[in-house]
Amino acid sequence: MADSNRGSFGSKLGMILATAGGAVGLGNVWRFPYMAGQEGGAAFILVYIGSVLLLGIPCMISEFVIGRHGASNTARAYTKLANGTAWKWVGFLEVLTGFLITGYYAVVSGWCLQYVYASIIGELHGDANYVTQYFQEFAADPFRPVLWTVVIFLICHFVIIHGVRGGIEKASKVMMPLLFILLLIIVVASCLLPDAGKGVEFLLKPDFGKVDRNVFLNALGQSFYSMSIGMGCICTYASYFSRQTNLFKSALQISVIDLLVAVLAGLMIFPAAFSVGISPDSGPSLIFITLPNVFNKAFAALPVLGWIISLLFYVLLSVAALTSLMSLHEVNTSFFYEELKIDRKKGAWIVTISCAVIGAFCSFSLGATDKLSWFGKTLFDWFDFITGQVFLPMAGLLTCLFLGWYVPKKILKDEFTNWGTLKGRLFGIYFFLIKFVCPILILLVFLNQFEVL
């Protein structure tokens, strides 16, 4: 049962939007469309949907079960179910992972705010070389990226200190609909460009000839990372769920929202890129170098429209970054204020200040100094590598083993069926997946990252 003094979501819609906001991030906007386009278009999307059903949704439900049952921060929720065994450290691993991701993710989130500002004052107009040089000079600047990192932390901090209903839920009810409105506006503008149909075809026309082992492994990896498994966000938000929340239905709804954002992002990017003959690249280069060039060329005849679309796009990115950052911040805030027995505001300040310092050093490593690089990787790259390729799959794998092989099956069934008030027809399938299938799939994702397979 939940502590009556803890926060909780005030409505089902608020809960879904907040949790979906935690899952939807920058990866949906650049990584998914690029992977779909390169690996079979609609064929990849179909494989991805299968991966979500086999891996993403069962893992999300698992974190829901732990979070709601524990009704506390992620570390304590695992500890309650671990009964004094070493399994409790899985919760601490998730909190640590969320803490480290918060630090470096805020750097890229800050870049989005810089590009909103740059769009407003018209700094992004120019040829491809100018846009490339603009990004490189900005990323290497010792001051501006850190300033924007601090700004986005302060915005996030302001939301977090107002609690679950007054902060996270209220902000999510504004930001998630705004995200979809902005997406739809840019999709329409992009699809009305000359030759935009080629971009739509590139994304949505199935090419089953490209479907091979790598497509399956990449789809599994994308389904795992896209849904924010293993970093404490899902578990922490679930601790604010009511006993009436249908965990399976909620996981399904959040997965649909996550997929919808990703596909709409593809319909936003590819038609515009194909219209001007620019091949979309992956990663930060797509967001901060390729797309400004795409917008400049695509709307050259109507510069004002190009300016509006560019501005809306970077506002969209900032919203996506902020909803994810809020969930990461809350993972750590809830941990500190509950474990240190301090108030929420003090817990939030610990996270904001410490993660801003981490973010500053990660930012410095990207060009301001060469003293923060080791073995060919910058500090930013090391944070990304250790959290993304090691800690996240490790936490996901251990969570499945924890629930599948250690926690009493009755606890899982009670949570899944809301203590018998819901029909548990799918429980057997869910339990089989997390006990046998999901651990194997996560292991495959882990090995594929290191090119062991």
Side-chain angles (χ1 to χ4, degrees):
M1 285 290 290
D3 178 352
S4 59
N5 293 320
R6 291 190 91 244
S8 63
F9 290 114
S11 67
K12 182 182 175 183
L13 177 64
M15 179 272 290
I16 292 293
L17 291 178
T19 313
V24 170
L26 296 178
N28 294 71
V29 179
W30 62 263
R31 194 168 187 266
F32 181 90
Y34 176 81
M35 290 178 71
Q38 290 297 308
E39 302 192 23
F44 174 84
I45 294 173
L46 291 173
V47 174
Y48 174 78
I49 292 170
S51 301
V52 167
L53 292 172
L54 287 176
L55 179 63
I57 290 176
C59 285
M60 181 173 278
I61 293 171
S62 298
E63 296 218 11
F64 282 170
V65 166
I66 295 168
R68 185 170 70 173
H69 184 83
S72 53
N73 69 76
T74 298
R76 192 182 292 185
Y78 275 82
T79 301
K80 285 181 179 179
L81 283 169
N83 292 322
T85 64
W87 285 110
K88 70 178 182 180
W89 295 110
V90 182
F92 286 91
L93 173 62
E94 289 206 4
V95 172
L96 174 63
T97 304
F99 184 77
L100 298 177
I101 292 174
T102 306
Y104 83 86
Y105 187 79
V107 176
V108 183
S109 304
W111 294 351
C112 298
L113 290 184
Q114 160 68 24
Y115 270 62
V116 170
Y117 170 74
S119 297
I120 291 172
I121 64 174
E123 277 189 351
L124 299 181
H125 292 296
D127 59 19
N129 291 331
Y130 167 79
V131 175
T132 303
Q133 187 178 358
Y134 181 89
F135 175 71
Q136 291 171 345
E137 289 179 357
F138 166 69
D141 190 297
F143 174 70
R144 282 190 298 162
V146 176
L147 173 65
W148 288 114
T149 300
V150 171
V151 169
I152 202 159
F153 263 127
L154 290 176
I155 296 170
C156 191
H157 179 90
F158 177 78
V159 173
I160 295 298
I161 61 172
H162 284 86
V164 180
R165 291 192 192 186
I168 296 169
E169 183 174 354
K170 198 172 181 180
S172 299
K173 282 182 174 180
V174 174
M175 288 194 285
M176 288 305 290
L178 177 62
L179 183 79
F180 275 99
I181 291 167
L182 293 172
L183 263 173
L184 290 171
I185 290 171
I186 303 173
V187 166
V188 171
S190 184
C191 288
L192 290 176
L193 292 168
D195 294 325
K198 293 178 182 177
V200 177
E201 184 179 321
F202 182 67
L203 180 69
L204 297 181
K205 183 179 179 181
D207 183 357
F208 292 104
K210 287 187 177 181
V211 177
D212 56 13
R213 186 192 65 172
N214 285 332
V215 170
F216 278 98
L217 291 170
N218 287 333
L220 282 171
Q222 179 67 14
S223 70
F224 181 81
Y225 294 116
S226 180
M227 297 174 73
S228 299
I229 307 297
M231 60 183 76
C233 302
I234 302 300
C235 188
T236 300
Y237 276 6
S239 73
Y240 306 126
F241 287 5
S242 75
R243 287 170 64 89
Q244 286 73 45
T245 301
N246 185 322
L247 301 187
F248 170 73
K249 192 175 177 182
S250 298
L252 188 62
Q253 290 168 335
I254 291 160
S255 301
V256 169
I257 291 172
D258 194 68
L259 175 65
L260 196 56
V261 170
V263 173
L264 284 173
L267 290 172
M268 171 179 70
I269 292 166
F270 286 114
F274 272 73
S275 176
V276 293
I278 296 176
S279 176
D281 302 313
S282 182
S285 60
L286 169 65
I287 295 175
F288 301 108
I289 297 175
T290 309
L291 284 177
N293 191 33
V294 167
F295 294 141
N296 287 338
K297 283 191 172 184
F299 300 99
L302 289 167
V304 174
L305 183 58
W307 174 80
I308 292 170
I309 295 299
S310 178
L311 175 59
L312 292 179
F313 175 73
Y314 288 109
V315 171
L316 159 70
L317 278 184
S318 300
V319 171
L322 191 56
T323 55
S324 291
L325 196 61
M326 276 163 37
S327 66
L328 287 163
H329 200 299
E330 178 63 17
V331 172
N332 302 292
T333 297
S334 63
F335 173 78
F336 283 117
Y337 87 75
E338 289 182 6
E339 297 307 311
L340 298 178
K341 295 180 172 58
I342 55 179
D343 64 34
R344 170 177 276 273
K345 287 186 179 180
K346 288 178 182 175
W349 273 120
I350 292 173
V351 178
T352 298
I353 294 170
S354 56
C355 288
V357 171
I358 292 172
F361 280 101
C362 286
S363 181
F364 291 149
S365 75
L366 294 174
T369 176
D370 57 4
K371 293 181 180 179
L372 292 171
S373 297
W374 302 274
F375 305 105
K377 287 183 186 289
T378 64
L379 181 64
F380 181 98
D381 294 332
W382 277 114
F383 269 71
D384 185 32
F385 171 77
I386 292 169
T387 57
Q389 293 187 260
V390 181
F391 286 179
L392 285 179
M394 188 186 298
L397 175 63
L398 291 173
T399 295
C400 290
L401 295 176
F402 178 48
L403 288 185
W405 296 90
Y406 176 78
V407 175
K409 189 175 178 180
K410 184 181 184 305
I411 291 177
L412 272 68
K413 190 166 186 179
D414 284 347
E415 290 287 345
F416 191 92
T417 63
N418 287 359
W419 299 270
T421 60
L422 300 172
K423 293 178 181 177
R425 291 173 186 165
L426 296 173
F427 175 75
I429 297 173
Y430 157 73
F431 189 71
F432 176 79
L433 288 174
I434 62 158
K435 189 166 186 172
F436 300 108
V437 179
C438 292
I440 294 171
L441 295 180
I442 294 171
L443 199 57
L444 289 175
V445 169
F446 181 77
L447 295 174
N448 184 51
Q449 289 177 150
F450 292 98
E451 299 181 351
V452 175
L453 295 176

